[in-house]
Amino acid sequence: MKPKRILLWLICATLVYNIYGYTKQHTSGDVLAYKRLASALVENDTAAVQKILIDEKDDMLLLAGAQQEQKELIGDSSVLFTYYVIKKQRYSHDGNTSHILAEQIFRVNPPGAKAIIGENEVRVRHNVQLVKQDNAWYVKAFENPTAVQ
């Protein structure tokens, strides 16, 4: 084989490996449960939030504060789209508990701006603990989001 062909195959293999890892991580049950919770918080969907939480009574007050903080961070900007970056994901030895450190990234336009992908971004860091019960993931702990510069 020629060196160019070997280099091309190595680049393709690396690309496929990275796409596989990203897809596997972002489609795992615990990450999907976290994303549902984060989306429900932004959309102020309390019914969806209650379905994901284990202890609804205590956590609803905490999450109401989290919703308010996110609204203050976004301000009067219009949100164009949201995506997530999973910084850390680790499981307990039995695989029934997951700890996720992630960033929810909003691409926003300030009032009057018309950029297609948004002029600014607002990054919100979440630290979440999830528990697996009856083959479904539920949020056990959700720390107040913090803005990331």
Side-chain angles (χ1 to χ4, degrees):
M1 273 197 191
K2 294 182 180 180
K4 286 183 183 179
R5 186 169 294 251
I6 293 172
L7 182 63
L8 178 67
W9 278 107
L10 285 174
I11 291 171
C12 288
T14 304
L15 183 66
V16 167
Y17 178 76
N18 286 327
I19 290 172
Y20 171 74
Y22 178 85
T23 304
K24 185 177 177 185
Q25 181 182 45
H26 282 265
T27 58
S28 64
D30 55 336
V31 173
L32 290 175
Y34 155 68
K35 288 181 180 181
R36 278 196 308 270
L37 175 69
S39 299
L41 286 175
V42 171
E43 296 167 3
N44 202 14
D45 186 0
T46 56
V49 170
Q50 288 175 347
K51 289 180 185 177
I52 299 170
L53 296 176
I54 287 182
D55 188 13
E56 297 172 12
K57 299 170 194 165
D58 298 333
D59 292 336
M60 285 304 289
L61 296 173
L62 175 70
L63 294 178
Q67 284 176 330
Q68 188 61 31
E69 286 181 28
Q70 283 186 348
K71 287 179 184 177
E72 290 173 6
L73 289 172
I74 294 171
D76 58 350
S77 300
S78 61
V79 177
L80 298 176
F81 62 93
T82 305
Y83 63 98
Y84 303 88
V85 175
I86 308 300
K87 297 287 188 180
K88 286 184 185 177
Q89 179 183 20
R90 59 186 165 86
Y91 294 98
S92 63
H93 292 293
D94 62 357
N96 290 330
T97 303
S98 172
H99 297 274
I100 296 175
L101 177 64
E103 286 183 1
Q104 183 179 25
I105 302 166
F106 302 98
R107 292 299 301 182
V108 297
N109 271 336
K114 297 186 192 268
I116 294 174
I117 62 167
E119 284 188 11
N120 301 323
E121 69 179 23
V122 176
R123 291 178 173 259
V124 180
R125 181 168 288 154
H126 295 140
N127 194 359
V128 186
Q129 180 182 5
L130 297 106
V131 176
K132 189 175 188 179
Q133 289 182 348
D134 302 326
N135 272 343
W137 288 94
Y138 297 98
V139 174
K140 182 177 181 182
F142 183 84
E143 288 185 15
N144 278 343
T146 56
V148 178
Q149 300 300 334

